[in-house]
């Protein structure tokens, strides 16, 4: 377990950049007022990590929310991703520039390859490496890369990915992949930590919530953090955004950590990285 302090606490990436270990995800947050408010509420609550992507079609709203929050840009860890149809060297550079324009910033803290598009992700990675060398991005990484994708990429890459953002929750722990990333100084990050809402139906989660006098969401997010994982729960409701960050005044026991680890059943609620079609 890594040291967990508060909402502004972070993990150090392989290049020394500090990445806040709890952030706001904005997948399916509507462009305009909905995403603007979500970002502003999160930043007001103390969040300093915002995760978006070009395919979410809400980068403009994210940028507006950041600007209206009054929080200095340099205090915020801002993440976006290059979409599948933009992969390839030149098209990735262009996609990156377009993301910056929509977000209203001149750099990103982290830029990710969204999915491992066969035959393209190596050229896409080369573009990310060059943008990183130009100091346009503070850290670079991937999303939805399984171990064989990582090994293939690392076979030719100059820079090892600093982050791997994966679907991750008690039904899809993928501990071997987590271990592989840890052994290669790749920070593991969770998307869909709440199992697209299905986590709230599990009896074991209801019992743990009662035991710790916490919400089910708080239990699973604390589990992420105690496993040393970065996590980005998504919400557009102010009370839930605030509640999701209230995970720093309790600790799950070793037995309860193990209990959640043992729920693993390789069940995905999102696409399979080996069999997706976008």
């Amino acid at each position: 377990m890594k040291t967990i302090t508060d909402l502004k606490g972070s993990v150090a990436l392989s290049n020394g950049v500090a990445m806040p270990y709890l952030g706001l995800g904005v997948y399916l947050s509507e462009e305009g007022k909905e995403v603007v408010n979500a970002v502003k509420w999160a930043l007001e609550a103390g969040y300093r990590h915002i995760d978006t992507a070009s395919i979410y079609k809400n980068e403009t709203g994210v940028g507006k929310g950041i600007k209206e929050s009054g929080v200095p840009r340099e205090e915020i860890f801002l993440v976006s991703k290059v979409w599948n149809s933009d992969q390839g060297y030149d098209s990735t550079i262009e996609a990156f520039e377009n993301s910056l324009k929509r977000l209203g910033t001149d750099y990103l803290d982290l830029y990710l390859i969204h999915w491992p598009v066969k035959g393209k992700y190596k050229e896409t990675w080369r573009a990310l490496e060059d943008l990183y060398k130009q100091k346009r991005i503070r850290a670079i990484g991937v999303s939805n890369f399984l171990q064989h994708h990582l090994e293939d990429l690392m076979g030719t890459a100059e820079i090892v990915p600093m982050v791997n953002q994966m679907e991750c929750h008690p039904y899809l722990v993928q501990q071997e992949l987590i271990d592989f990333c840890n052994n290669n100084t790749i920070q593991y990050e969770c998307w869909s930590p709440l199992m697209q809402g299905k986590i709230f139906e599990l009896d074991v989660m209801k019992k743990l919530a009662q035991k710790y006098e916490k919400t089910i969401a708080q239990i699973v997010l604390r589990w992420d953090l105690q496993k040393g994982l970065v996590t980005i729960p998504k919400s557009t409701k102010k009370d839930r955004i605030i509640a999701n960050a209230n995970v720093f005044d309790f600790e799950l026991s070793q037995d309860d950590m193990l209990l959640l680890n043992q729920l693993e059943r390789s069940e995905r609620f999102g696409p399979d990285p080996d069999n997706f079609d976008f």
Side-chain angles (χ1 to χ4, degrees), residues 135-146:
K135 302 190 185 303
R136 309 287 309 282
I137 312 169
R138 296 179 67 228
I140 53 177
V142 296
S143 183
N144 302 301
F145 274 53
L146 300 174

Side-chain angles (χ1 to χ4, degrees), residues 169-216:
H169 43 71
Y171 274 8
L172 187 69
V173 181
Q174 297 188 106
Q175 189 62 49
E176 287 186 5
L177 181 57
I178 292 173
D179 293 342
F180 176 84
C181 288
N182 287 341
N183 290 336
N184 287 278
T185 64
I186 301 169
Q187 176 61 48
Y188 205 86
E189 179 179 8
C190 304
W191 64 260
S192 198
L194 306 180
M195 293 166 44
Q196 296 186 9
K198 298 293 191 298
I199 195 85
F200 302 107
E201 300 170 10
L202 305 187
D203 287 339
V204 64
M205 297 307 302
K206 293 174 184 176
K207 290 176 182 176
L208 287 174
Q210 188 174 26
K211 174 181 176 179
Y212 288 94
E213 298 182 332
K214 285 289 182 178
T215 68
I216 287 173

